Amino acid sequence: MGALALVVLMSALNGFETSIFSSYQKSDPDFKITAQKGRVIPISSTLISGLKKTQGIVVVSKIIEGKSILQYGDQQTVCKVVGVDDAFFQRIQIDSLVTAGKPVLYDSQRDSLGGISSMAILSEGLVYRLGVGKIDEPISLLAVDKAAGIHSADALKTQVFIPSAIVQLPEEENDHTVFISAKDAGYLFDVDDKKEATALELRTNQETRESEGKKREVQKALQSIAGERLKVNNQQQQHPIMYRMFNTEKWISFAILTFVLMLISFNLVGALTLLVLDKKGDFVLFRNLGMEDSMVGWIVFWEGVWVSICGSLIGIGIGVLLVFLQQKTGIVQTQGTFKISYPVELRFWDVVLILGLNVALGAISAVIPARRAAMIGNQTSGIVQKQ
């Protein structure tokens, strides 16, 4: 039962982790290069060409990020502005994120007619917060002009955009993100989009993405190209708090159930102790047939080990079957307005860890009864010699 509970628990936690971070995988780059100190990193043709030539790298995109005030009608809110280049649309799975409109950052037709040609892509939560009625109504982005004085009337830079599309992003990004062109973002935040960026976002090929070993090799190669002044983060390192929270929750839950298993293992100690007392006459017979005292203890020890192995395999087998049924049929569902199947994911190394833990606890539990059996063998052998 302990092995069964551990398999179900670990699979459920893995399922929640995968379902939550799958949304990040659609929008986050495989690797992100930022400055070790400061906000802006220098961009050179040597750096870009070196990154593109790295084996496994498919796309390198320049990003300019900053905070701005977004104004729509009479409403204002602080938002995160992400300036992107043309390679950004090759790096991100933009079509899977769009819920309305067509994601473009520049409208040549509007420009030829003398209208507003700069376009913006808004996150879904931001649209709801501002109550944007029509997707083609203009919005304004305001940022501090660093060149202007504090008391200057032109202390804020203002640029007008037309929303072109709405995208659904992960929860922590969905209510405050705006995508514009890198050129417009460079103007707002006083960054030369040709020579500077706040980050470089990289996408790898499918083969590298599916192999953890190749990911580590590519990250090491990228770090050597980027140098000491830049840092290369993989997807987990881009959200360290979130990943740390899930890992902590997972292993604390595992530790609690391990403690319960330790309590359960006392049942095995009691069962083996009763076995030793019940088979005392058999131990005398074994000793008279020439068996050494230590061998009597080993018999009891291996009895406990095999009980643990068989019980663990049965529990793991039932647990794997339950997880498989949940994946195929979704028997257990969440409670609420929108019912969804609880996500579960079985991982091989979790099963190996559970089996090893159960066998180890069984072996430890068998030590005390085995020593008692060996002592009984010594006592009975002394009685026989006196007779």
Side-chain angles (χ1 to χ4, degrees):
M1 293 303 295
L4 168 63
L6 277 174
V7 169
V8 173
L9 173 69
M10 299 290 277
S11 299
L13 292 174
N14 291 336
F16 277 112
E17 179 181 345
T18 301
S19 63
I20 289 175
F21 286 107
S22 61
S23 60
Y24 287 106
Q25 292 175 355
K26 292 181 181 180
S27 59
D28 285 356
D30 295 319
F31 295 102
K32 188 172 184 178
I33 300 177
T34 55
Q36 290 281 8
K37 294 182 180 180
R39 173 172 162 266
V40 178
I41 61 176
I43 302 298
S44 64
S45 57
T46 304
L47 174 62
I48 299 298
S49 62
L51 295 175
K52 289 182 177 180
K53 290 179 181 178
T54 304
Q55 186 175 5
I57 299 300
V58 178
V59 178
V60 178
S61 173
K62 293 184 290 185
I63 301 297
I64 299 176
E65 293 184 4
K67 294 290 185 180
S68 176
I69 298 174
L70 190 151
Q71 182 173 347
Y72 172 73
D74 297 331
Q75 298 190 55
Q76 291 183 346
T77 185
V78 177
C79 65
K80 182 175 101 171
V81 177
V82 182
V84 300
D85 59 4
D86 294 335
F88 175 79
F89 294 97
Q90 302 173 18
R91 199 278 297 167
I92 195 173
Q93 301 176 21
I94 192 69
D95 293 335
S96 63
L97 302 176
V98 175
T99 58
K102 183 179 179 181
V104 294
L105 300 176
Y106 173 75
D107 191 335
S108 58
Q109 186 175 1
R110 285 176 174 268
D111 191 16
S112 62
L113 297 175
I116 302 172
S117 59
S118 297
M119 313 297 285
I121 302 172
L122 306 181
S123 59
E124 197 175 48
L126 185 60
V127 172
Y128 294 150
R129 283 175 57 192
L130 293 174
V132 177
K134 296 182 180 180
I135 198 172
D136 58 350
E137 291 184 354
I139 62 171
S140 299
L141 290 177
L142 292 78
V144 176
D145 188 354
K146 297 179 181 179
I150 299 177
H151 302 289
S152 174
D154 300 323
L156 292 177
K157 289 183 179 180
T158 303
Q159 195 162 7
V160 182
F161 297 85
I162 298 294
S164 64
I166 301 173
V167 293
Q168 185 177 29
L169 301 176
E171 185 176 353
E172 64 179 21
E173 303 287 336
N174 198 42
D175 62 345
H176 64 272
T177 305
V178 179
F179 295 97
I180 61 175
S181 69
K183 181 179 180 181
D184 292 330
Y187 166 74
L188 282 174
F189 304 122
D190 296 317
V191 176
D192 186 350
D193 63 292
K194 302 295 183 182
K195 300 179 180 179
E196 296 175 324
T198 57
L200 293 173
E201 296 185 346
L202 287 71
R203 183 169 73 88
T204 61
N205 55 30
Q206 190 68 24
E207 183 182 0
T208 304
R209 195 176 296 114
E210 294 175 353
S211 173
E212 292 297 327
K214 290 185 177 180
K215 283 182 183 178
R216 288 191 290 269
E217 292 178 3
V218 171
Q219 185 174 9
K220 187 176 180 180
L222 292 174
Q223 188 63 67
S224 64
I225 295 172
E228 297 180 354
R229 295 183 178 182
L230 304 178
K231 56 183 176 181
V232 181
N233 293 330
N234 57 29
Q235 286 189 336
Q236 292 186 4
Q237 292 167 340
Q238 292 169 38
H239 303 280
I241 298 177
M242 186 73 73
Y243 274 97
R244 196 179 301 120
M245 180 188 71
F246 268 94
N247 285 329
T248 302
E249 181 180 1
K250 179 178 179 178
W251 294 115
I252 286 178
S253 302
F254 183 82
I256 292 173
L257 267 187
T258 301
F259 179 73
V260 173
L261 277 176
M262 292 175 63
L263 298 179
I264 295 174
S265 64
F266 283 105
N267 292 333
L268 182 60
V269 175
L272 291 176
T273 302
L274 291 176
L275 176 68
V276 170
L277 296 176
D278 184 55
K279 300 296 182 181
K280 184 186 295 186
D282 294 334
F283 294 152
V284 174
L285 177 61
F286 292 158
R287 183 68 183 81
N288 292 336
L289 291 174
M291 180 178 287
E292 297 181 358
D293 298 333
S294 60
M295 186 59 66
V296 175
W298 279 111
I299 291 175
V300 177
F301 175 80
W302 283 110
E303 176 77 14
V305 171
W306 281 111
V307 166
S308 300
I309 292 175
C310 294
S312 300
L313 291 176
I314 293 172
I316 290 174
I318 298 174
V320 170
L321 179 62
L322 291 176
V323 172
F324 179 77
L325 289 175
Q326 177 64 17
Q327 287 177 333
K328 296 298 181 182
T329 62
I331 299 174
V332 182
Q333 295 186 334
T334 59
Q335 301 296 320
T337 305
F338 301 100
K339 292 186 177 181
I340 60 172
S341 299
Y342 271 102
V344 289
E345 180 185 345
L346 190 65
R347 296 178 182 174
F348 172 75
W349 289 112
D350 288 343
V351 175
V352 173
L353 179 62
I354 294 168
L355 179 60
L357 174 66
N358 277 268
V359 173
L361 288 176
I364 294 172
S365 302
V367 170
I368 297 176
R371 292 183 62 183
R372 186 178 182 86
M375 291 172 62
I376 290 176
N378 284 325
Q379 294 171 0
T380 53
S381 108
I383 294 172
V384 171
Q385 288 175 0
K386 287 180 182 180
Q387 291 177 347

